[in-house]
Amino acid sequence: MVTVVARNDMDAPEHWTDAPDYSPEHWRTGRNEAPPEAPPTEAPETAASVSEEAVEAEPEPTAVPVPAEAVAAEPEPTEAVPAKVPKPLREHPPAAERPAAPAASEPVVSEPVAPAPVVPAEPVAGTRPVRRVSRPLFRIGRRGGPDNAADVLRAPLLRSHHVAVIGLSGGAGKTTTALALGAILARERADRVVAVDASPDSGALGRRVRRQSDATVLDLVGALPRLRTYMDIRAFTSQTPSGLEVVAHDPDPTDPRAFGAQEYRQVVEVLAGQYPLVLTDSGTGMPHDTLCAVLDLSDQLVVAAAPGEDGMSGAGLVFDRLAALGHGEKAREAVTVVSGARSPSGRTALMDEAAARLRQRCRAVVTVPYDPRLAGGGEVDPEAMRGRTRAAYHELATLVAQSFPQG
């Protein structure tokens, strides 16, 4: 049994000289291992040229005396432990081949890396490549419109222009068309725009606006002798949010006053002195002389039609009536408006066929899609319409403005 005495006196000089040797050479000597070969520092040709005399002249390492106590305390290995193979060192190029480091005063500029070229994907066999076409930011109507639509709508007028909206009484949408057309023109132009209700038995125009005056067209007729300025007429109109002014007509069977052809001519004459654009809500059911007065004073016509086969047939009857009254030329230059059109399955081809027949009798056909805000019969405001509905009425206003007198 070997007794190991711990020495705690670290200040004694023999503490450091008599300490056991735990260097790598000590462990290699105890295990009878050969020292590792030093990696070559020179090229193979230089290492091969070293003379044997230089190798013999190299002093051998001196053995370090090992204390007996440390040798006795070291346990003898029972099994041979395999030696660890050192990892190969990374080979570096010689110093002569290394790039020189930049000076401290010179800025380091990195060369730009060119982006990789973009190779277009090959189309799949049997398919056609998709061509992307930029869309305009604003389109007028469902079929588009002219590029100068805004300029056409704002074209200056040299004299008052009269537009008559005509259709079969009840369900044709002529009142909605008159209000929407007047609202777009009033909003896009800097002119005053007024709409007159000339229907003798309807009065729907005044019910579709927020009344600012209880006066009617019959009251305006009674005040004609003293009307001189715009403010005199403004007391008999109601203005919508878009700027359109409306002269209402509330039919009263007990009112002895009549609104016939002569009264209509007087009203249009006084309004033309203050309003560059005058619209009239009329129908084929009005008295013959009044209808003739409306057609005679109108510069262009807008025919209102309901969707479906019955509505298209009714629009055909309107064109027949216009031709019979001697206004075939105005009918050919008219614009037909199909209001509240839906597109259910199985009805699209029928609608297109009916619209094609109408295009043979007028200048253009505008289809206004169904809009629940207009179907309710309330106030007509372009800002509250759906986008497609508002675009369709923009198209109608542009077509009407194309007939404004030029020069």
Side-chain angles (χ1 to χ4, degrees), residues 33-172:
E33 296 179 1
E37 298 180 359
T41 57
E42 297 180 356
E45 293 80 7
T46 306
S49 63
V50 178
S51 60
E52 298 179 357
E53 297 178 359
V55 177
E56 295 177 356
E58 182 180 358
E60 298 182 359
T62 57
V64 181
V66 181
E69 298 176 356
V71 175
E74 179 182 356
E76 295 182 1
T78 58
E79 296 181 359
V81 180
K84 295 183 178 180
V85 180
K87 296 182 179 180
L89 301 178
R90 181 181 301 176
E91 296 182 1
H92 297 278
E97 300 180 3
R98 298 177 186 174
S105 59
E106 299 180 1
V108 180
V109 181
S110 59
E111 298 182 359
V113 180
V118 179
V119 180
E122 298 182 358
V124 182
T127 60
R128 297 181 60 184
V130 180
R131 182 180 179 184
R132 297 183 178 272
V133 181
S134 59
R135 296 181 177 180
L137 297 179
F138 179 74
R139 299 182 63 187
I140 296 181
R142 301 178 62 183
R143 302 184 303 274
D147 297 336
N148 59 339
D151 298 335
V152 172
L153 282 174
R154 299 183 179 93
L157 282 170
L158 303 181
R159 61 177 180 83
S160 180
H161 195 73
H162 304 161
V163 180
V165 181
I166 188 172
L168 295 180
S169 299

Side-chain angles (χ1 to χ4, degrees), residues 9-392:
D9 191 3
M10 298 180 62
D11 297 334
E14 61 274 9
H15 173 78
W16 302 103
T17 57
D18 297 341
D21 186 8
Y22 296 104
S23 63
E25 291 79 3
H26 166 74
W27 296 110
R28 295 192 188 98
T29 303
R31 298 178 181 178
N32 298 325
E33 296 179 1
E37 298 180 359
T41 57
E42 297 180 356
E45 293 80 7
T46 306
S49 63
V50 178
S51 60
E52 298 179 357
E53 297 178 359
V55 177
E56 295 177 356
E58 182 180 358
E60 298 182 359
T62 57
V64 181
V66 181
E69 298 176 356
V71 175
E74 179 182 356
E76 295 182 1
T78 58
E79 296 181 359
V81 180
K84 295 183 178 180
V85 180
K87 296 182 179 180
L89 301 178
R90 181 181 301 176
E91 296 182 1
H92 297 278
E97 300 180 3
R98 298 177 186 174
S105 59
E106 299 180 1
V108 180
V109 181
S110 59
E111 298 182 359
V113 180
V118 179
V119 180
E122 298 182 358
V124 182
T127 60
R128 297 181 60 184
V130 180
R131 182 180 179 184
R132 297 183 178 272
V133 181
S134 59
R135 296 181 177 180
L137 297 179
F138 179 74
R139 299 182 63 187
I140 296 181
R142 301 178 62 183
R143 302 184 303 274
D147 297 336
N148 59 339
D151 298 335
V152 172
L153 282 174
R154 299 183 179 93
L157 282 170
L158 303 181
R159 61 177 180 83
S160 180
H161 195 73
H162 304 161
V163 180
V165 181
I166 188 172
L168 295 180
S169 299
K174 55 186 182 61
T175 300
T176 303
T177 301
L179 289 173
L181 174 61
I184 296 295
L185 292 174
R187 189 181 65 172
E188 297 294 335
R189 301 178 57 86
D191 300 330
R192 299 173 185 151
V193 184
V194 64
V196 182
D197 191 348
S199 299
D201 55 356
S202 174
L205 196 66
R207 295 195 300 268
R208 300 288 297 275
V209 298
R210 187 174 302 175
R211 299 287 290 270
Q212 298 175 341
S213 173
D214 295 333
T216 65
V217 65
L218 294 176
D219 298 328
L220 181 64
V221 171
L224 286 177
R226 62 177 185 271
L227 299 180
R228 296 290 183 270
T229 64
Y230 165 73
M231 296 307 299
D232 295 338
I233 302 174
R234 181 66 179 87
F236 296 88
T237 66
S238 299
Q239 193 175 51
T240 64
S242 61
L244 172 67
E245 297 183 34
V246 173
V247 180
H249 178 36
D250 299 331
D252 186 2
T254 61
D255 193 345
R257 297 176 298 179
F259 184 73
Q262 181 179 359
E263 289 77 14
Y264 176 78
R265 293 178 183 274
Q266 293 175 352
V267 169
V268 171
E269 182 180 359
V270 70
L271 293 178
Q274 302 296 334
Y275 297 86
L277 279 171
V278 179
L279 279 67
T280 301
D281 181 10
S282 58
T284 56
M286 60 196 317
H288 178 76
D289 58 342
T290 307
L291 177 60
C292 290
V294 171
L295 296 177
D296 292 341
L297 296 180
S298 63
D299 295 306
Q300 63 175 306
L301 303 177
V302 174
V303 178
E309 187 64 26
D310 294 340
M312 299 299 177
S313 300
L317 294 177
V318 173
F319 283 107
D320 294 339
R321 182 75 183 276
L322 293 175
L325 294 175
H327 295 282
E329 183 63 26
K330 289 184 180 180
R332 285 188 292 271
E333 294 297 325
V335 179
T336 303
V337 181
V338 183
S339 302
R342 300 175 184 263
S343 298
S345 59
R347 296 293 299 277
T348 305
L350 183 61
M351 286 285 296
D352 293 342
E353 182 181 356
R357 292 198 304 267
L358 288 177
R359 288 190 183 95
Q360 297 176 0
R361 310 191 66 175
C362 62
R363 177 162 59 100
V365 176
V366 178
T367 303
V368 180
Y370 174 80
D371 195 328
R373 298 174 179 84
L374 298 179
E379 187 174 2
V380 178
D381 185 6
E383 297 297 332
M385 298 178 186
R386 289 180 174 178
R388 295 177 59 189
T389 306
R390 184 168 55 250

